[in-house]
Amino acid sequence: MSTKEEKPTLAGVNVKTRKRNIVIPEDPGSFADAVVTLCQDAADGVSLEADLEAAAKALDGAELEYSRYGDILFQVFFAGGRLGTGAQLAAEDKMRLSTNILACEPTREAINPYYKLFQTLTRRRPFLIRGLENTLVKLLLSLEFFDEVGRKKLGIALALTFSWKIGVVPSNIFAALLNDRLVAKGTVMEVMTVFFQEFLVKDSLDDLVSILSKANIANRLVDFAPPNKRAPADFHQLLRVAGLGALVEWDVQREIDLRVTELQEALTEAITADPPIAVAEVLTIAKTKKGENNLPDAEVLRVSWLALMKSINLTGKNQQQITQSVMQKLKNYGKLFAAFANNAKAELALINNIQVFCYEDTRMLKCFTDIVKLLYNADIVGEDTIQHWYKKGSHAKGRAVFLKDIEPFMKWLEEAEEEDD
């Protein structure tokens, strides 16, 4: 004979018999007892979801000092009662809410209903968001007192906090996790890994990056790992083992972007220096940065072009003056581009970067063909690369405009090739 599986309820083993008159509490312990009483009285045992919805209505109608004891409200739903030192329940409190986040299964499905309740409570009383923040911080600072299952629940709760978009400030939460003692033990990375995994179940990597950026930790994820796991290869292996390959790829690209930005700033400063710095010295800067950070040639060429253009003042100049300024500057720094345009792939990337730049800055539209001619004449870009760009390698931005504009030059190239034959 089969038995029907019982669903968890807020009432636990207590059977609801009657509504009780709740005296407005004037101390933390009494407030916690009042919340437990309201939730137990509202529960009918049908399902956890139904019990929590009923609890939300009961709490909304109760005359409790939520503005004063908001932290305790969320402590009850997380742990069943008021939290003391080391995330232990306060011994002097009389009542406990038997069904709570830390007592449920360590799954998203089990914890999710509580966050539906939290969203309801905070929408009606936005000031309660601070109470949720404080409760999460208190629990996260006590990670060492939880076992692996408990830490997993906190990781899931952290993910749901942001998935539900309740309004918690990311920096207020993640700052608590950057605790040297907890980080060294590896418990912080354990929770962060679960957070990454669970958040990405329903939300995108872009959403995750947005949260990390708001918390000012996007560039320092490695700080959450123990000291012996902070080498890029070791840190990324931790994430890969956890199935977070997409996050690894993002972090690798973030590091490249950071180094590229540093290179662009260094080149811009060198090219715009007054008095001017010798081209050979600028080239040394570029080669050094490329070697230190293992940057692709195409990236060095891209930022070299951007740095070059930042050094030219186009304001108030007519088309002829703009073209002359750009061509003269490019001639002066031809060796810089020639040093890194050493294969067809890099050459094509350079042409396309210039194409996009000229398209996005309308003052440069008429300069593109002259720039390509100069690159060709200076042996920076080869004829084969230009032909490939013209036939099928051009960027979509401004393609029709630039292909038409460069037609005479392409015809000249073909005629010159026929004469050579």
Side-chain angles (χ1 to χ4, degrees):
M1 180 177 177
S2 62
T3 58
K4 185 176 180 181
E5 183 181 354
E6 294 185 0
K7 296 182 178 180
T9 66
L10 283 172
V13 297
N14 297 325
V15 179
K16 185 183 108 175
T17 56
R18 62 187 177 84
K19 299 286 183 181
R20 283 175 272 184
N21 294 323
I22 306 299
V23 177
I24 299 177
E26 296 181 356
D27 64 86
S30 297
F31 179 89
D33 289 344
V35 171
V36 173
T37 299
L38 281 168
C39 292
Q40 290 181 337
D41 282 354
D44 58 15
V46 174
S47 69
L48 177 63
E49 291 78 2
D51 287 352
L52 290 174
E53 287 180 9
K57 293 179 181 178
L59 290 168
D60 186 48
E63 295 182 4
L64 300 179
E65 291 191 69
Y66 293 112
S67 60
R68 185 176 182 182
Y69 299 121
D71 297 18
I72 295 172
L73 173 66
F74 291 102
Q75 289 175 21
V76 169
F77 286 113
F78 265 93
R82 192 160 53 102
L83 291 172
T85 304
Q88 298 296 312
L89 290 173
E92 62 270 25
D93 289 357
K94 301 175 183 178
M95 306 187 69
R96 298 282 185 267
L97 190 62
S98 58
T99 304
N100 55 74
I101 290 176
L102 291 175
C104 72
E105 292 296 315
T107 65
R108 184 186 189 92
E109 292 72 23
I111 299 175
N112 201 55
Y114 291 94
Y115 272 85
K116 184 178 181 181
L117 167 67
F118 294 168
Q119 186 181 69
T120 299
L121 294 174
T122 53
R123 279 182 175 176
R124 293 174 182 172
R125 295 180 173 86
F127 60 83
L128 285 176
I129 293 173
R130 187 63 179 174
L132 177 57
E133 287 181 358
N134 293 339
T135 299
L136 284 168
V137 168
K138 188 178 186 70
L139 290 167
L140 293 173
L141 288 173
S142 303
L143 283 182
E144 60 191 314
F145 299 103
F146 292 95
D147 59 13
E148 183 178 351
V149 174
R151 291 192 291 271
K152 182 176 181 180
K153 292 174 185 177
L154 291 179
I156 296 172
L158 192 57
L160 291 175
T161 297
F162 296 105
S163 286
W164 275 90
K165 297 178 175 60
I166 290 176
V168 168
V169 179
S171 58
N172 293 345
I173 301 299
F174 291 104
L177 284 170
L178 288 170
N179 178 291
D180 292 341
R181 176 172 50 83
L182 297 176
V183 168
K185 292 182 177 181
T187 53
V188 170
M189 191 63 208
E190 186 180 340
V191 170
M192 287 297 289
T193 299
V194 175
F195 162 67
F196 294 144
Q197 291 170 326
E198 292 295 330
F199 185 83
L200 292 173
V201 168
K202 296 289 185 181
D203 297 271
S204 69
L205 182 60
D206 287 342
D207 292 330
L208 176 60
V209 171
S210 176
I211 291 169
L212 299 177
S213 298
K214 290 176 182 176
N216 297 315
I217 58 172
N219 293 329
R220 53 184 304 199
L221 293 185
V222 71
D223 290 349
F224 291 97
N228 64 337
K229 295 292 184 181
R230 290 184 181 177
D234 295 334
F235 178 65
H236 290 157
Q237 182 60 20
L238 283 177
L239 297 179
R240 285 194 182 93
V241 169
L244 296 167
L247 183 58
V248 172
E249 291 178 8
W250 171 83
D251 194 52
V252 169
Q253 187 59 51
R254 176 201 60 78
E255 188 66 26
I256 291 175
D257 292 343
L258 182 63
R259 301 306 173 211
V260 167
T261 299
E262 292 175 354
L263 171 60
Q264 183 176 335
E265 291 173 351
L267 289 177
T268 301
E269 182 179 353
I271 294 174
T272 58
D274 187 18
I277 294 177
V279 177
E281 189 174 340
V282 176
L283 180 56
T284 298
I285 293 173
K287 287 183 175 180
T288 302
K289 290 287 186 181
K290 169 184 163 56
E292 289 176 348
N293 302 304
N294 195 28
L295 298 175
D297 289 329
E299 281 298 304
V300 178
L301 288 167
R302 182 179 69 83
V303 298
S304 295
W305 170 258
L306 293 176
L308 188 76
M309 292 308 300
K310 278 193 173 183
S311 70
I312 304 173
N313 183 10
L314 303 180
T315 304
K317 293 183 178 180
N318 59 37
Q319 187 61 58
Q320 184 179 3
Q321 291 171 326
I322 289 174
T323 302
Q324 289 175 346
S325 297
V326 172
M327 301 302 284
Q328 185 59 52
K329 202 77 170 183
L330 190 53
K331 285 179 183 178
N332 293 343
Y333 287 90
K335 290 182 179 179
L336 173 63
F337 292 92
F340 301 102
N342 49 24
N343 58 70
K345 183 178 180 181
E347 292 175 10
L348 181 63
L350 175 59
I351 295 176
N352 276 320
N353 284 323
I354 295 173
Q355 174 191 335
V356 172
F357 186 91
C358 290
Y359 176 75
E360 292 179 344
D361 188 337
T362 54
R363 297 171 298 179
M364 295 287 295
L365 278 171
K366 298 294 184 180
C367 298
F368 178 74
T369 298
D370 289 327
I371 292 171
V372 174
K373 288 179 182 178
L374 188 152
L375 295 175
Y376 170 75
N377 291 328
D379 291 326
I380 296 172
V381 172
E383 180 180 344
D384 290 342
T385 301
I386 297 174
Q387 291 285 5
H388 176 72
W389 172 86
Y390 183 71
K391 293 175 181 177
K392 58 180 180 181
S394 60
H395 195 281
K397 286 189 175 182
R399 176 180 292 152
V401 175
F402 295 124
L403 290 182
K404 184 173 180 58
D405 191 51
I406 206 172
E407 277 181 2
F409 177 61
M410 299 308 299
K411 185 177 180 180
W412 177 84
L413 281 178
E414 291 175 4
E415 291 174 350
E417 185 177 356
E418 290 175 359
E419 289 178 4
D420 291 341
D421 292 342

